[in-house]
Amino acid sequence: MKILLIGSGGREHALAWKMAQSPLVSKLYCTPGNAGIAAVAERLSFAVEEEEAILHWLQAHPVDLVVIGPEGPLVSGLSDRLRQLGVAVFAPSQAAAAIEGSKVFMKDLCARHGVATADYQVFQEVSAALAYLRKQGAPIVVKASGLAAGKGAIVCQTLQEAEDAVQRIMVAKEFGAAGDHVVIEGFLRGEELSFLALVDGEYVLPLAGSQDHKAVGEGDTGANTGGMGAYSPAPVLTPALEERILQEVIYPIVRGMAAEGYPYRGVLYAGLMIDGDAIQVLEFNARFGDPETQPLLLRMRSDLVPLLLACANGSLQGMQIAWDPRPALCVCMVAGGYPGKYAKGQVITGLPQSHQQSDLQVFHAGTEQQADHIVTAGGRVLGVTALGESVADAQKRAYAAVESIHWQDLYYRRDIGYRAIAREQQS
Ligand code: AMP
Ligand code: GLY
């Protein structure tokens, strides 16, 4: 079968790498892809936003499945337009993708179905937002309501930081129109968990647990990014906790969305805060996590393609996923300055011939081929991902590969997985 994958990040390289291994796949296209994806798929030149051009191309080049990676086209409704053309698509509808695209929609959905999230208020006016902040005090979390590439949530330890955050989102419009509304929510303590599940509208098949590091700085400090590293499994996720998450979060949302007329199809990503017995939803994403997908797919032993097709076709019931029991850990190598301003076009050296190894993969994100060189082309550049006998071993192996790779303004965190490793050392 032929598949078209849409996207260009580390998540998409991992998806392409995994799908290319499927005996079911005769041809894999990816648009626009990156320099790493070029090794496993034929790249097309359409940007993710060029939906008309993509639809036009598909009419001349029919495929059996379209897989949408990033949130932009989910929220803009590309999947609906593809379904109208009769194309099988792994992605939620536009209506269902609002679970990620609008924090207000997400919060109201949770409230209707009894799913716990932080207390919140939404504001359109700066003065009302500031008055509310002064009443609530810090710590507190200020978020742009719309899509902001993972960077729109500002965790504020002081009132001053919170007031600045409102200015940045609503006045300086750092996140563009995503900041027309601001969501101010209570600060939650605990340990974060990324809980992803495949959903076919009705049936749910959970993936292994994972955790990512959102903050740019070591010790999880500094600005939020799209993610600086991730690992799977998540030691915090016991079988008992998994069952509770399904019963208290995933099933109520999936049943509720179906009952309200927008059944969820695709991968549902619940960003959870676990604090003792309390499970609270921080966010939902309507797509695979980036970088969580990189360690998850390195561990996945099953063929991914039948799973994606089953989500698209509503036939997930009875399917299972086999996982490598070994942990996998991904270190994101980013352009210095990210998530703020950063340079592009810097030559990357020392890339290992990782396609020959099954337990170490260098997934590309912002990279491009330029003559004989691979150059940086985005904030997150590479996701170096390794399997190991323990999280500590996977970490050691990932960093050994990281240290061989260079470009001018390179940055990465040196502590990815520290919480999981501390737990390993305790047990
Ligand atoms: P979001 O984009 O809403 O997922 O937020 C991004 C990150 O900000 C989360 O992964 C958390 O690390 C942090 N965060 C968001 N909301 C809260 C909250 N209510 N309490 C504490 N941390 C939060
Ligand atoms: N790693 C967080 C996300 O994909 O949103």
Side-chain angles (χ1 to χ4, degrees):
M1 59 185 285
K2 295 179 181 167
I3 299 180
L4 170 64
L5 170 66
I6 296 177
S8 62
R11 162 188 51 216
E12 284 77 21
H13 189 188
L15 287 165
W17 169 81
K18 183 69 183 161
M19 288 193 290
Q21 294 168 44
S22 171
L24 299 172
V25 176
S26 57
K27 182 80 194 178
L28 179 62
Y29 299 99
C30 181
T31 196
N34 59 39
I37 290 174
V40 288
E42 179 178 335
R43 288 180 69 185
L44 308 177
S45 59
F46 313 117
V48 164
E49 300 75 28
E50 290 181 285
E51 298 188 3
E52 286 306 326
I54 293 171
L55 290 164
H56 190 77
W57 182 87
L58 277 169
Q59 275 164 353
H61 306 82
V63 299
D64 304 285
L65 179 69
V66 175
V67 178
I68 303 181
E71 57 274 23
L74 300 176
V75 169
S76 72
L78 179 60
S79 67
D80 296 347
R81 299 174 72 190
L82 289 164
R83 284 197 186 94
Q84 277 159 13
L85 293 177
V87 180
V89 43
F90 177 82
S93 65
Q94 182 176 33
I99 199 166
E100 171 166 7
S102 163
K103 292 218 186 277
V104 175
F105 174 91
M106 182 282 265
K107 290 283 192 181
D108 290 347
L109 183 74
C110 287
R112 284 198 297 283
H113 300 287
V115 174
T117 72
D119 291 336
Y120 75 105
Q121 293 259 352
V122 186
F123 297 93
Q124 251 178 304
E125 302 286 337
V126 175
S127 56
L130 292 177
Y132 180 76
L133 280 181
R134 287 177 195 132
K135 194 169 93 213
Q136 296 298 111
I140 198 154
V141 184
V142 181
K143 302 183 177 184
S145 178
L147 288 182
K151 300 161 203 160
I154 306 176
V155 179
C156 306
Q157 297 301 338
T158 66
L159 190 57
Q160 184 61 51
E161 277 172 39
E163 292 179 1
D164 291 347
V166 168
Q167 295 290 340
R168 287 169 55 192
I169 293 173
M170 300 189 85
V171 182
K173 291 271 182 214
E174 260 182 47
F175 309 105
D180 288 349
H181 294 74
V182 77
V183 175
I184 299 182
E185 68 175 44
F187 175 77
L188 299 175
R189 275 164 231 286
E191 184 162 351
E192 281 186 54
L193 167 66
S194 302
F195 191 91
L196 282 72
L198 299 177
V199 185
D200 73 352
E202 188 182 354
Y203 288 94
V204 171
L205 181 58
L207 302 185
S210 57
Q211 287 179 291
D212 78 339
H213 292 271
K214 292 223 171 58
V216 70
E218 281 158 20
D220 296 313
T221 55
N224 271 331
T225 69
M228 294 296 294
Y231 50 92
S232 169
V236 67
L237 184 64
T238 59
L241 181 63
E242 171 166 338
E243 188 53 30
R244 280 193 55 211
I245 292 168
L246 289 169
Q247 297 294 342
E248 295 172 30
V249 178
I250 306 295
Y251 296 154
I253 292 293
V254 169
R255 285 186 197 128
M257 292 181 82
E260 290 178 13
Y262 27 80
Y264 193 93
R265 292 192 194 90
V267 58
L268 181 62
Y269 167 138
L272 304 173
M273 190 69 98
I274 309 297
D275 186 19
D277 280 347
I279 303 170
Q280 306 247 27
V281 175
L282 287 170
E283 62 170 343
F284 281 108
N285 293 318
R287 53 174 173 77
F288 282 105
D290 190 343
E292 290 93 327
T293 303
Q294 290 83 314
L296 281 170
L297 292 185
L298 202 60
R299 291 189 60 218
M300 187 183 280
R301 284 187 170 157
S302 308
D303 189 344
L304 178 64
V305 172
L307 295 164
L308 301 182
L309 266 179
C311 290
N313 298 333
S315 55
L316 199 56
Q317 189 182 12
M319 295 190 81
Q320 287 185 334
I321 305 176
W323 297 99
D324 193 317
R326 291 175 296 168
L329 181 137
C330 169
V331 178
C332 292
M333 301 178 73
V334 310
Y338 172 80
K341 285 197 172 58
Y342 53 83
K344 291 186 186 175
Q346 298 189 335
V347 174
I348 305 171
T349 58
L351 281 168
Q353 297 299 314
S354 60
H355 52 272
Q356 287 154 2
Q357 302 178 41
S358 62
D359 50 4
L360 177 86
Q361 286 297 320
V362 178
F363 292 118
H364 289 221
T367 67
E368 273 304 340
Q369 187 80 38
Q370 226 174 53
D372 289 342
H373 299 296
I374 292 182
V375 300
T376 65
R380 290 189 290 179
V381 176
L382 300 171
V384 178
T385 313
L387 283 163
E389 295 308 321
S390 58
V391 181
D393 184 42
Q395 186 200 52
K396 199 171 102 206
R397 291 167 40 77
Y399 280 112
V402 163
E403 277 155 23
S404 70
I405 301 173
H406 302 282
W407 67 87
Q408 201 183 329
D409 298 324
L410 150 69
Y411 172 74
Y412 56 88
R413 278 180 59 168
R414 292 163 196 273
D415 64 346
I416 301 302
Y418 72 89
R419 275 205 192 83
I421 291 169
R423 274 186 201 250
E424 268 178 3
Q425 285 163 353
Q426 277 164 18
S427 62

